[in-house]
């Protein structure tokens, strides 16, 4: 079980990524686009050409692979790589039901149930308008024909040499058109159970097909980015309609007029174009078509009739060393700076060299990984997994948070984030044990409000989608952050939130600090003999400064002040003089790792990661600064001595 | 200056000469003293030649018949076929079978010769003991170089024996036409101690071992050449480029080596390196930095390679566990079931069986493992080639004879060109249909010969064809379901297809049929492994077209023709006998050597083998080695006299006896192809069967002999013509090489033996296809 969330704007008006499917509602002049950004958008295509956006239908959590409009445009069905099929009220744009019967990506829809039963993934489906025949195309390279009423297998059609990605059936289900990754379009007779004709129009795989009602002209598009219209009866008559800028994923004929006046085309880019077909008749009539395949055709259209502008999708990202901020680059080469913890964009940096910016923002800080990033939707999807979610601790000061009492508590980034994501979930508002909460949170000030919401440091945008899913990617439950207070959502959360999230958000059980083992030895230059190796252990966030204090206090001081005294003698003075000690220690002592003098502000994990580098336990050496004339005397370090620091 | 060849020749001569002569005298000499005399006169020259490889090569050139490829050895004799067998030196049929294949592999002989020339040239140039390489240089010289030399010596002795037979068939009327590959065997044992003793071994491993070491030798030669170039300060652009390449390749090699080197190896290496260093010291050469980094002068490198290989072999041989260790990565690599690629890695030992076994069931796309080995081999080959070329260039200036250079180049290139192909592992995203490719070199492909439990259920298990087997090897694998493929283009986990295709196909494609299946309840030491005795349908012609990444590439055809098959007969994997069926081609290229000495040497060698036995009945002699001959002979006799059934029995016995992997036993088992035997006697092909020997055959031989004699009398040319004519009678015929015995194998019988219809225990194990133009 994983918890994910998406960093995005509250309203995403533009397709963020490629568009996998299109459906046109001619009655309302609405276009539905099924985006790889997981969002189905509704566009008004007749009016508002400047701002055609009407609404988004957001419930999917992964690519929407196919949509089908049915029931006279009242209902939309969508299939997604989140393994669900959803049924929507197409007019109002809300999700009516979710079918979770699939165990893998749902790639294609044909108005009705699709058939499983073979091992090969189905990439295309078609059903005739009478609902008597279903055809499926798959990596099996074979078309399988079914009777949807009886679920009986009718036949298999062999001929393609590669995956079948697009299928069309004529009205009565007697003829079928298939477009395949092998680059061909085939026309099949279901009555004769054979291939009637093969059209080699494209240079590469054919991914999208449309056909007129009479089943005489096929429009095809695919990987070669070109869209052709081919006369099925005389294949030499073909017209290059246009050339897109990216591989064509889907086409939708505008059937409001006959002959068709335009075609909508979606590609792997986020922009959806409408191309006019008006010239095609003249083109044909003129006999100007070029049936010489060798010569490059000139496209019928060079200008789009209408454009539904797409947004930029993030194509590259880099997690900075603080494991909190991310640099991204989008399709427009714009670089942005994000805060994972607050689930928001911090800064748009505009067009710049991505790698340069990464270098510029490099910090010698080591924080363990605690989340993973996914760009599949073109937006940032952050996923937290139980295995490492709580790995990262930072001090509040470093994180830029101040606690009311001025202390500098250690914060667990994953824990804080989970608390923020479920801030509105009522169950997290009840504290089983106030004391514990107080202790763990170090939030004395706000405790008086009695109901403590969130984590007390920050909030995530309330529109942030939160997704509970299986590790493999199947989505179990998606909701918006702010909706977790709703009754239904609360109930569902009770069922889906995994225990490890409950522990931190409801029970407020903070995870334990990470301990790091290390050795502390006098530096060889001091002339001291190597002591018996004592293995120390401390929080991996312990600053070098603290270790220096320890050295000063336990080793140097012992020598200078009370050579006969025992270590216990130091205890009373410890707290009072702590600050003095720190100053003194820094003045007199330096720590080295791999013969490199350490910055007192570094913490142990950073030292280990950036300086120690190798495996095995970290070994630190101490020596008195060169100004010191006192020779460091040998003294063994008790391994218990450092334990206290881990609590600090 | 004594070359490796010399050694072999000399030794053979010394050991064998007296005895053999006596033997021969009984039959051959009586008939034609004159011929003998001729032979003798020439013989000394031959010896010299053998002693000095250069000379021999020169001779070849000089010989009236230009021999681009002289794959054929001795064929026609009376009852004897004019092709030379190899004596069994004690379960060495695994070696004999492979040697025969290599000998008749188009171009291979020439490659070896030219390589030897190159090697010796080096020696001369260097003025070093390097020259000693072949013979005495074992200590100083890399063993791989020794292998080269010993291989050359066996080739020359076979050639001489053949020509002498052709020219003076009578001599051999009763005798066997065979030579013991003793020197080569010794070298092999140096290369890999696993081959010490008289255990049976796996033919494929020997093949890989030999090829790998020869490639190393090539590498060494190349390095030397490049070094020489540098020394000579030849600033040819070509040369420089070559150098760079060499360096890179060296680096790769070293890296691979590192990977290969595992705990056990390190020690061995160290030793080897030290040796190599010594060698290096011996050879004064300037190296580019890369080279220097890589390590050593050519000679030294050769040694290294050799040693490394040895090490590898040792490792493999030494512990099965190691192999097991190796295997897991392979398994990881494989997702589905594929045949495993065989590599040059000379995996010489019993463990190999296990690996094979594994590979059978599981998909062995063990890219990593393979890649390394392949790369090594490839690199080595490349290096060799490059070196050769570079050498050639450098030498061209230095060297006087351009011809020699050309040969050298061809020789260096040939190995790689001949056996090494390239595979492409292509992963294609089903969403965006973009694909990524990874290339790997291969030297043979291992395909399943049966459906083991693990192997994918094929629709028609009954009709198991080679095509089916290859498609198992090169099948398309889908990456779907739980572990999808992360497509960098889609930024998404997508379904994908992974296919293994031939990118470059070698001139000779070696197909290793994994005829082992896991059957429980076997008592044999190879727990649960049993041999599959149902052969695949083996086609005479093969097209790799459908598995080629560039099927329509005009430059090379993907059509292949079967020219050799190594058969394994035996019921179990743990023992058995290897024989080789070879289709005689390009016999007209065969060069006949007049050098009587060669013959003498050959005889001597034979004599050597015989000596021990001395005038023991020929059956024994045929068997080859003294020690082993006994059991084999008995069987042999039985075989000869009796029919197939007998043979099968003998086989079974052997199998029980045998220790080695697939077998190293003597020729006995071959009899299983009793069908052929029966037919054979009637046909001329009759193996120079010893004891009962077919009289008919003898008569035939005599005829040929007579012709040969006449020719001799008239003049060498005439005799050559006659001899060649005799030879050419065998053009296109299949010959069965069963250790020292060679006989004609009618194609029908051969095909029968290679088809699943026959249920003999003798099944094809290694198939060798050579490229033919469409």
């Amino acid at each position: 079980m994983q918890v994910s969330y998406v960093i995005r704007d509250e309203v995403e008006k533009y397709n963020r990524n490629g568009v996998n499917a299109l459906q046109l509602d001619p009655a309302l002049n609405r276009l539905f686009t099924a985006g790889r950004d997981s969002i189905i958008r509704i566009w008004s295509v007749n009016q508002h050409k400047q701002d055609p956006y009407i609404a988004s239908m957001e419930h999917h959590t992964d690519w929407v692979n196919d949509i089908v409009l049915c029931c006279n445009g009242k209902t939309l069905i969508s299939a997604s790589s989140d393994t669900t099929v959803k049924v929507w009220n197409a007019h109002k744009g809300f999700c009516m039901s979710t079918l979770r019967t699939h165990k893998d990506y749902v790639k294609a829809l044909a108005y009705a149930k699709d058939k499983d039963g073979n091992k090969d993934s189905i990439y295309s489906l078609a059903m005739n308008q009478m609902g008597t025949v279903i055809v499926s195309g798959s990596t099996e390279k074979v078309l399988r024909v079914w009777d949807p009423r009886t679920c009986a297998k009718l036949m298999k059609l062999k001929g393609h040499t590669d995956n079948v990605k697009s299928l069309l059936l004529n009205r009565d289900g007697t003829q079928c058109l298939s477009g395949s990754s092998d680059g061909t379009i085939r026309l099949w007779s279901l009555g004769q159970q054979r291939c009637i004709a093969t059209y080699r129009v494209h240079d590469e795989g054919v991914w999208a097909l449309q056909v007129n009602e009479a089943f005489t002209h096929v429009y095809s598009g695919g990987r070669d980015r070109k869209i052709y219209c081919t006369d099925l009866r005389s294949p030499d008559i073909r017209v290059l309609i246009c050339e897109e800028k990216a591989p064509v994923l889907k086409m939708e004929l505008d059937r409001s007029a006959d002959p068709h006046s335009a075609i909508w085309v979606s590609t792997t880019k986020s922009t959806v174009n409408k191309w006019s077909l008006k010239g095609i008749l003249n083109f044909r009539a003129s006999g100007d078509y070029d049936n010489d395949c060798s010569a490059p055709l000139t496209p019928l259209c060079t200008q789009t009739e209408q454009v539904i502008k797409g947004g930029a999708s993030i194509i590259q990202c880099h997690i900075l060393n603080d494991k909190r901020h991310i640099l991204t680059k989008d399709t427009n080469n714009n670089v942005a700076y994000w805060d994972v913890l607050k689930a928001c964009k911090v800064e748009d940096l505009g067009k710049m060299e991505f790698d340069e910016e990464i270098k510029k923002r490099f910090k010698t800080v080591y924080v363990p990984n605690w989340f993973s990033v996914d760009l599949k939707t073109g937006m940032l999807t952050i996923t937290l997994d139980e295995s490492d979610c709580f790995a990262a601790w930072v001090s509040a000061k470093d994180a830029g948070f101040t606690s009311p009492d001025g202390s500098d508590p250690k914060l667990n980034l994953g824990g804080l984030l989970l608390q923020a994501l479920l801030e509105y979930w009522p169950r997290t508002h009840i504290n089983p044990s106030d004391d514990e909460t107080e202790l763990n949170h170090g939030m004395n000030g706000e405790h008086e409000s009695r109901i403590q919401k969130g984590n007390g440091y920050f909030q995530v945008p309330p529109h942030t989608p939160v997704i509970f899913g299986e590790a493999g990617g199947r989505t179990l439950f998606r909701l918006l952050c702010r909706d977790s207070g709703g009754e239904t959502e609360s109930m569902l959360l009770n069922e889906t939130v995994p225990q490890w999230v409950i522990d931190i958000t409801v029970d407020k059980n903070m995870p334990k600090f990470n301990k790091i083992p290390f050795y502390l030895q006098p530096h060889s230059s001091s002339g001291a003999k190597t002591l018996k190796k004592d293995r120390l252990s401390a929080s991996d966030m312990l600053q070098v400064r603290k270790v220096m204090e320890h050295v000063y206090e336990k080793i140097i001081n012992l020598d200078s002040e009370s050579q006969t005294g025992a270590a216990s003698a130091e205890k009373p003075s410890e707290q009072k003089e702590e600050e003095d000690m720190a100053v003194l220690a820094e003045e007199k002592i330096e720590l080295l790792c791999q013969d490199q003098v350490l910055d007192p502000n570094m913490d142990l994990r950073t030292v280990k990661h950036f300086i120690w580098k190798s495996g095995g336990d970290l070994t630190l050496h101490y020596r008195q600064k060169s100004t010191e004339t006192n020779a460091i005397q040998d003294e063994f370090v008790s391994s218990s001595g450092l334990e206290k620091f881990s609590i600090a | 200056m004594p070359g490796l060849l010399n050694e072999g020749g000399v030794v053979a001569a010394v050991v064998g000469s007296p005895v053999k002569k006596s033997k021969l005298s009984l039959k051959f000499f009586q008939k034609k003293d004159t011929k003998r005399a001729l032979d003798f006169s020439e013989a000394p020259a031959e010896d010299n030649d053998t002693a000095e490889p250069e000379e021999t090569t020169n001779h070849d050139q000089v010989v009236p018949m230009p021999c681009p490829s002289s794959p054929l050895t001795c064929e026609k004799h009376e009852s004897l076929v004019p092709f030379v067998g190899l004596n069994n030196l004690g379960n060495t049929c695994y070696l004999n079978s492979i040697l025969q294949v290599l000998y008749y592999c188009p171009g291979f002989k020439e490659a070896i010769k030219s390589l030897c020339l190159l090697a010796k040239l080096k020696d001369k140039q260097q003025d070093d003991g390097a020259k000693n390489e072949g013979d005495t240089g074992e200590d100083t010289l890399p063993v791989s170089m020794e292998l080269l030399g010993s291989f050359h010596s066996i080739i020359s002795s076979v050639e001489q024996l053949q020509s002498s037979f052709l020219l003076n068939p009578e001599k051999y009327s009763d005798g066997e036409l065979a030579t013991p590959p003793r020197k080569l065997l010794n070298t092999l044992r140096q290369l890999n101690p696993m081959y010490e003793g008289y255990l049976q071994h796996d033919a494929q491993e020997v093949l890989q071992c030999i090829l790998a070491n020869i490639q190393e030798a090539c590498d060494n030669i190349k390095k030397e050449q490049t070094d020489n170039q540098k020394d000579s300060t030849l600033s040819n652009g070509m040369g420089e480029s070559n150098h760079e390449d060499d360096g890179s390749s060296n680096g790769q090699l070293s890296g691979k080596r590192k990977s290969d080197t595992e705990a056990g190896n390190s020690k061995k290496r160290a030793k080897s390196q030290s040796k190599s260093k010594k060698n290096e010291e011996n050879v004064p050469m300037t190296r580019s930095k890369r080279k220097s980094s890589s390590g050593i002068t050519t000679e030294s490198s050769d040694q290294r390679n050799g040693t490394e290989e040895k090490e590898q072999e040792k490792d493999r041989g030494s512990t099965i566990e190691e192999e097991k260790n190796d295997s897991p990565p392979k398994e990881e690599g494989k997702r589905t079931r594929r045949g495993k690629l065989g590599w040059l890695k000379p995996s010489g030992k019993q463990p190999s069986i296990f690996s094979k076994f594994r590979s059978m069931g599981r998909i062995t796309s063990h890219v990593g493992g393979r890649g390394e080995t392949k790369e090594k081999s490839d690199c080595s080959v490349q290096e060799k080639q490059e070196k050769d070329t570079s050498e050639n260039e450098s030498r061209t200036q230095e060297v006087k004879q351009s011809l020699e250079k050309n040969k050298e180049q061809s020789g260096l290139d040939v190995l790689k060109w001949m056996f090494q192909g390239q595979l492409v592992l292509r992963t294609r995203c089903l969403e965006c249909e973009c694909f990524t490719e990874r290339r790997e070199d291969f030297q043979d492909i291992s395909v399943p010969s049966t459906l083991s439990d693990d192997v994918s259920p094929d629709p028609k298990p009954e009709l198991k064809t080679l095509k089916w087997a290859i498609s198992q090897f090169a099948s398309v694998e889908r990456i779907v379901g739980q572990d999808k493929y992360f497509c960098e283009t889609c930024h998404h986990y997508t379904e994908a297809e992974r296919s293994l295709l031939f990118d470059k196909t070698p001139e000779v494609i070696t197909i290793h049929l994994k005829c082992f299946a896991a059957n429980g309840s076997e008592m044999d030491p190879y727990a649960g492994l049993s041999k599959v005795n149902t052969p695949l349908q083996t086609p005479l012609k093969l097209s790799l077209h459908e598995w080629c990444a560039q099927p329509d590439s005009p430059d090379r055809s993907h059509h292949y023709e079967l020219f050799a098959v190594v058969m394994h007969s035996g019921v179990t994997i743990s023992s058995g006998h290897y024989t080789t069926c070879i289709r005689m081609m390009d016999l007209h290229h065969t060069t006949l050597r007049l050098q009587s000495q060669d013959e003498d040497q050959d005889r001597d060698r034979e004599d050597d083998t015989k000596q021990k036995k001395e005038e023991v009945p020929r059956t024994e002699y045929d068997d080859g080695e003294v020690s082993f001959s006994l059991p084999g002979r008995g069987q042999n006799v039985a075989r000869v006299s009796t029919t197939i059934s007998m043979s099968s029995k003998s086989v079974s016995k052997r199998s029980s006896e045998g220790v080695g992997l697939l077998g190293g036993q003597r020729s006995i088992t071959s009899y299983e192809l009793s069908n052929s035997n029966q037919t054979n006697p009637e046909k001329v092909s009759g193996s120079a069967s010893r004891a009962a020997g077919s009289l008919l055959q003898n008569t035939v031989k005599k005829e040929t002999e007579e012709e040969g004699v006449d020719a001799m009398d008239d003049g060498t040319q005439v005799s050559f013509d006659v001899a060649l004519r005799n030879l050419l009678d065998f053009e296109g015929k299949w010959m069965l090489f069963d250790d020292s015995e060679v006989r004609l194998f009618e194609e029908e019988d051969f095909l029968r033996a290679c088809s699943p219809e026959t249920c003999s225990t003798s099944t094809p194990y290694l198939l060798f296809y050579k490229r033919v133009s469409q």
Side-chain angles (χ1 to χ4, degrees), chain A residues 242-512:
Chain A
C242 61
E243 183 163 354
E244 277 282 359
K245 294 188 181 65
V248 175
L249 290 174
K250 201 80 172 186
M251 298 181 300
E252 175 79 358
L253 272 178
D254 182 350
R255 299 177 190 274
S256 56
D258 195 25
H260 306 304
S261 58
I263 190 166
W264 289 92
V265 178
S266 72
T267 67
T268 57
K269 295 201 163 163
S270 55
T271 298
V272 178
N273 291 322
K274 180 185 186 184
W275 300 88
S276 169
L277 298 176
K278 280 171 186 148
I280 200 167
L281 275 186
N282 301 332
F283 205 76
R284 278 188 208 131
S286 70
D288 196 18
Y289 52 83
D290 190 351
N291 55 13
D292 179 8
C293 298
S294 60
L297 298 175
T298 48
L300 179 72
C301 307
T302 53
Q303 286 291 323
T304 55
E305 184 175 315
Q306 190 177 347
V307 175
I308 293 178
K309 216 172 68 179
S313 54
I314 296 169
I315 53 172
Q316 223 177 330
C317 75
H318 179 85
I319 302 173
L320 295 173
N321 273 346
D322 60 8
K323 296 294 169 10
R324 174 171 170 189
H325 293 97
I326 292 181
L327 274 179
T328 63
K329 190 172 91 171
D330 66 18
T331 46
N332 296 330
N333 290 321
N334 283 317
V335 177
Y337 184 63
W338 305 75
D339 183 348
V340 169
L341 209 53
K342 294 181 177 172
C344 63
K345 186 192 285 183
V346 178
E347 192 179 2
D348 270 317
L349 300 173
K351 291 181 171 52
M352 58 170 55
E353 274 297 317
F354 187 56
D355 295 333
E356 287 298 316
E357 189 63 20
I358 290 174
K359 273 183 206 161
K360 201 187 296 175
R361 293 184 184 253
F362 176 84
K363 288 184 207 159
T364 311
V365 171
Y366 177 75
V367 178
N369 289 318
W370 59 280
F371 63 90
S372 60
V373 186
D374 189 338
L375 300 179
K376 63 189 175 187
T377 62
M379 299 178 283
L380 287 176
T381 303
I382 311 295
T383 298
L384 308 178
D385 190 271
E386 181 181 8
S387 62
D388 60 0
C389 173
F390 302 118
W393 290 88
V394 298
S395 74
K397 216 181 281 173
D398 289 346
F401 299 120
T402 53
S403 58
D405 60 356
S407 66
D408 184 13
K410 309 265 185 299
L411 305 179
N412 186 287
L413 296 179
L416 291 186
L417 183 56
L418 283 173
Q419 288 169 348
L421 288 175
L422 293 175
E423 181 173 352
Y424 297 92
W425 187 24
R427 220 176 131 185
T428 64
H429 302 165
I430 304 157
N431 297 318
S433 159
D434 287 354
D435 296 339
E436 262 187 25
T437 306
E438 185 177 341
L439 272 182
N440 286 330
H441 264 268
M443 296 183 40
N444 303 332
E446 292 187 7
H447 179 57
E448 291 148 8
S449 63
R450 244 163 81 207
I451 295 178
Q452 177 222 334
K453 292 183 182 177
N455 57 32
Y457 292 96
F458 61 88
Q459 290 185 315
V460 298
H463 66 264
T464 302
V466 181
I467 300 151
F468 294 89
E470 292 174 359
R474 284 195 71 186
T475 298
L476 298 175
F477 183 41
R478 173 197 186 269
L479 78 168
L480 300 188
C481 179
R482 61 170 172 244
D483 292 339
S484 56
E487 215 170 286
T488 322
E489 284 82 358
S490 268
M491 297 286 294
L492 286 171
L493 280 177
N494 285 339
E495 294 168 9
T496 46
V497 175
Q499 185 58 42
W500 60 275
V501 178
I502 300 263
D503 280 345
I504 189 87
T505 57
V506 178
D507 301 336
K508 316 288 188 192
N509 293 325
M510 275 297 169
K512 290 178 181 170

Side-chain angles (χ1 to χ4, degrees), chain A residues 62 104 107 121 139 165 181, chain B residues 430 433 478 484 492 495:
Chain A
D62 203 338
D104 204 339
K107 289 293 296 178
S121 303
T139 54
K165 284 207 165 179
S181 297
Chain B
L430 288 178
E433 293 175 10
R478 291 224 171 80
K484 291 189 172 68
H492 201 269
E495 295 187 336

Side-chain angles (χ1 to χ4, degrees), chain B residues 151-163:
Chain B
F151 208 107
H152 189 194
S153 70
I154 191 78
I155 287 176
S156 58
S157 64
V158 166
E159 281 182 344
Q160 290 164 7
L161 197 52
Q162 181 183 23
S163 24

Side-chain angles (χ1 to χ4, degrees), chain B residues 71-77 80-86 100 103-104 158 161-162 165-166 176-179 582-585 587 590 685 688 726-737 739-744:
Chain B
L72 299 184
T73 51
C74 330
E75 283 193 352
K76 302 180 180 179
H77 284 298
L80 288 178
V81 178
F83 299 99
V84 177
L86 296 171
Q100 293 289 10
Y103 183 82
Y104 290 99
V158 166
L161 197 52
Q162 181 183 23
F165 172 82
L166 280 174
E176 249 192 1
L177 197 55
T179 183
I582 299 173
R583 187 162 179 264
M584 291 302 151
M585 293 174 300
L587 289 181
T590 307
S685 64
N726 291 338
L727 248 192
L728 290 178
D729 288 344
F730 292 91
E731 177 79 23
K733 299 253 174 76
W734 285 92
M735 304 301 298
L736 176 64
F737 291 84
D739 285 342
S740 59
E741 181 184 350
V742 185
R743 61 173 183 265
L744 186 65

